[in-house]
Amino acid sequence: MRSKDRISYFYDGDVGSVYFGPNHPMKPHRLCMTHHLVLSYELHKKMEIYRPHKAYPVELAQFHSADYVEFLHRIAPDTQHLFANELARYNLGEDCPVFENLFEFCQIYAGGTIDAARRLNNQLCDIAINWAGGLHHAKKCEASGFCYINDLVLGILELLKYHARVLYIDIDVHHGDGVEEAFYFTDRVMTVSFHKYGDLFFPGTGDVKDVGEREGKFYAINVPLKDGIDDTSFNRLFKTIISKVVETYLPGVIVLQCGADSLARDRLGCFNLSIDGHAECVRFVKKFNLPLLVTGGGGYTKENVARCWTVETGVLLDTELPNEIPDNEYIKYFAPEYSLKIPGGQIENLNSKSYLSTIKMQVLENLRCIQHAPSVQMQEVPPDFYIPDFDEDEQNPDERMDQHTQDKHIQRDDEYYEGDNDNDHNMDAP
């Protein structure tokens, strides 16, 4: 056991000020709310806080095609009417709109995950957190499901420079299709996704039979679930599968995507998880004592997203948080209870015991097809394109926070609605 985990936390206030549009369920403003809740519980005093660098186009092109990156760099709301063909080719439109500062937004959230991976690689921390990251649907040449740049793939590519095997775990209600697709043919990354599947639910992929191909066969694991799964069923299945995965695959590092749309009462989700049930997954993964990169993901009931990721920050810090939310800039969002935890939901659980048992047996059977953890012929490590200048002696947490609290915290009038008026019209994607 490590005596005390060193935790690096990445945040830039600019991510919370971008706006997808009035009828769009993705509200980056939830990141400001999360950060202020973290501050109000004084968790920042137990972590190293960093503003991520803005990822360079050349870094983004480590996974994405250069022409797609260049297009994202160039497109703007006032010129998009000139690029109808390109918008269609790169899948920008209703789900993935063009908005002010789109490219900078991508640079910041991707930069956070890349920086997190590099700090882990250089053993400067044990756990790295980037709640702005986790945009798991973006593909090599196109946007998808509110995601433009796949920061997770970029972070995993960094980790592969130093680790023979990377385990990716995804508890978003939507299938982690972009990450799975990127590593579908390799045994260097095992992807494990727990998600709603069926009923034409976005993105429509992630059947238990999809296991990877060629060298990657059996290194993609999908756990397809039905509406209404609760804490007990989810946690039992999660712990059984992840224990076996870690025992079989022997990863050197874990990437955990904590999409909060798997919580009860999410605007686009359909599960019954409480915050305690969601956070139990984080607690369980932490116990393996492996280097751990934690990101956000989906989550469309903003106040519950902020609650969830704050609780999970506490879990990663081994800190139990009082249920009464301290005063903070966004306190009105948490009315009328002003409590941190939310209970599970009341949707009928369509996951029968026999269904879950069948899924579990299929996944464990697939894992048995892996003889042993794959070994890798180690080669010279490629250079980092950009390495932040970290001087551990010069940077004490108080000074870092002084500079950090000057980040922009923008509260938009059009982001706060009373009660159910915040529902916007439903969209198809996470």
Side-chain angles (χ1 to χ4, degrees):
M1 291 287 289
R2 295 189 288 248
S3 57
K4 194 169 187 315
D5 288 312
R6 298 164 301 155
I7 300 191
S8 295
Y9 169 102
F10 293 88
Y11 178 73
D12 184 321
D14 285 345
V15 290
S17 63
V18 303
Y19 188 49
F20 276 58
N23 293 321
H24 202 291
M26 175 61 104
K27 313 279 188 196
H29 181 237
R30 67 202 175 129
L31 298 163
C32 284
M33 292 169 62
T34 301
H35 185 64
H36 276 264
L37 212 46
V38 165
L39 294 179
S40 72
Y41 277 106
E42 301 196 332
L43 296 176
H44 58 288
K45 295 181 177 176
K46 302 182 177 188
M47 305 184 286
E48 297 179 331
I49 312 288
Y50 296 102
R51 185 186 287 108
H53 85 287
K54 289 177 185 166
Y56 298 114
V58 70
E59 291 177 289
L60 304 180
Q62 292 298 290
F63 169 59
H64 294 283
S65 66
D67 59 328
Y68 173 56
V69 172
E70 201 265 327
F71 181 71
L72 288 178
H73 199 172
R74 194 174 69 229
I75 194 69
D78 53 354
T79 59
Q80 62 177 317
H81 63 281
L82 303 172
F83 297 99
N85 291 342
E86 288 93 336
L87 289 171
R89 184 191 318 153
Y90 299 124
N91 199 34
L92 269 61
E94 189 178 16
D95 275 2
C96 300
V98 177
F99 51 81
E100 287 295 337
N101 301 316
L102 166 59
F103 191 66
E104 184 183 35
F105 172 66
C106 294
Q107 287 180 292
I108 293 170
Y109 77 72
T113 301
I114 293 168
D115 283 352
R118 288 181 183 149
R119 284 194 71 77
L120 288 167
N121 280 346
N122 291 296
Q123 299 180 355
L124 297 172
C125 63
D126 304 303
I127 298 171
I129 304 171
N130 177 29
W131 293 126
L135 279 75
H136 57 175
H137 295 304
K139 308 295 199 306
K140 182 181 177 70
C141 303
E142 67 176 50
S144 176
F146 315 163
C147 306
Y148 302 83
I149 291 292
N150 199 315
D151 62 290
L152 291 157
V153 172
L154 295 168
I156 291 168
L157 289 173
E158 283 297 316
L159 294 170
L160 287 170
K161 294 177 182 177
Y162 286 74
H163 297 276
R165 292 176 300 282
V166 177
L167 171 60
Y168 171 73
I169 304 170
D170 190 317
I171 58 171
D172 194 291
V173 77
H174 300 91
H175 177 228
D177 59 336
V179 184
E180 178 184 282
E181 186 178 296
F183 300 110
Y184 207 60
F185 299 111
T186 179
D187 58 9
R188 296 281 311 279
V189 180
M190 179 173 278
T191 60
V192 187
S193 179
F194 297 78
H195 50 268
K196 153 80 177 179
Y197 179 74
D199 309 324
L200 301 178
F201 193 72
F202 185 89
T205 51
D207 193 321
V208 71
K209 297 193 212 45
D210 299 331
V211 296
E213 291 178 23
R214 303 205 296 255
E215 283 77 24
K217 190 166 187 185
F218 302 119
Y219 292 92
I221 293 175
N222 284 299
V223 186
L225 302 167
K226 301 179 182 182
D227 288 9
I229 195 160
D230 56 26
D231 289 351
T232 305
S233 308
F234 193 94
N235 288 143
R236 187 182 296 136
L237 193 59
F238 182 87
K239 291 177 180 181
T240 302
I241 289 172
I242 295 303
S243 297
K244 197 64 182 171
V245 162
V246 172
E247 177 192 319
T248 306
Y249 188 60
L250 300 174
V253 60
I254 299 176
V255 177
L256 177 59
Q257 196 268 20
C258 298
D261 46 9
S262 43
L263 290 174
R265 291 174 289 280
D266 185 81
R267 222 166 272 135
L268 299 185
C270 51
F271 287 175
N272 283 329
L273 297 187
S274 70
I275 285 178
D276 278 335
H278 199 274
E280 182 60 30
C281 298
V282 179
R283 183 175 285 108
F284 187 74
V285 170
K286 180 180 187 293
K287 283 180 181 162
F288 290 108
N289 281 320
L290 289 164
L292 178 59
L293 198 168
V294 179
T295 72
Y300 307 100
T301 301
K302 287 187 299 185
E303 60 277 15
N304 291 345
V305 175
R307 286 178 166 108
C308 182
W309 292 344
T310 300
V311 168
E312 288 170 353
T313 304
V315 165
L316 295 166
L317 287 163
D318 295 317
T319 302
E320 188 70 36
L321 304 178
N323 196 34
E324 187 177 338
I325 291 176
D327 192 28
N328 69 84
E329 199 170 318
Y330 299 101
I331 192 70
K332 63 184 178 181
Y333 285 90
F334 306 103
E337 314 87 12
Y338 302 105
S339 57
L340 187 61
K341 301 290 180 71
I342 64 154
Q346 303 299 320
I347 298 172
E348 183 188 357
N349 186 354
L350 300 180
N351 299 273
S352 66
K353 283 187 174 169
S354 65
Y355 174 74
L356 293 176
S357 177
T358 302
I359 293 294
K360 180 182 78 175
M361 296 315 293
Q362 284 184 268
V363 168
L364 295 180
E365 186 59 41
N366 289 340
L367 277 168
R368 273 193 284 277
C369 295
I370 299 171
Q371 296 303 309
H372 48 74
S375 59
V376 177
Q377 190 174 358
M378 297 311 280
Q379 295 158 347
E380 191 176 343
V381 177
D384 293 338
F385 276 98
Y386 167 91
I387 302 180
D389 294 323
F390 294 118
D391 188 328
E392 299 288 321
D393 297 328
E394 281 183 22
Q395 293 189 308
N396 73 57
D398 296 333
E399 284 174 14
R400 273 200 300 276
M401 267 319 296
D402 284 345
Q403 176 226 340
H404 187 69
T405 49
Q406 294 166 16
D407 274 328
K408 293 180 190 172
H409 301 303
I410 295 175
Q411 185 168 350
R412 302 179 58 99
D413 294 335
D414 49 10
E415 284 281 22
Y416 182 64
Y417 308 103
E418 292 296 336
D420 295 332
N421 297 333
D422 194 12
N423 268 326
D424 294 338
H425 68 262
N426 275 342
M427 299 187 59
D428 294 336

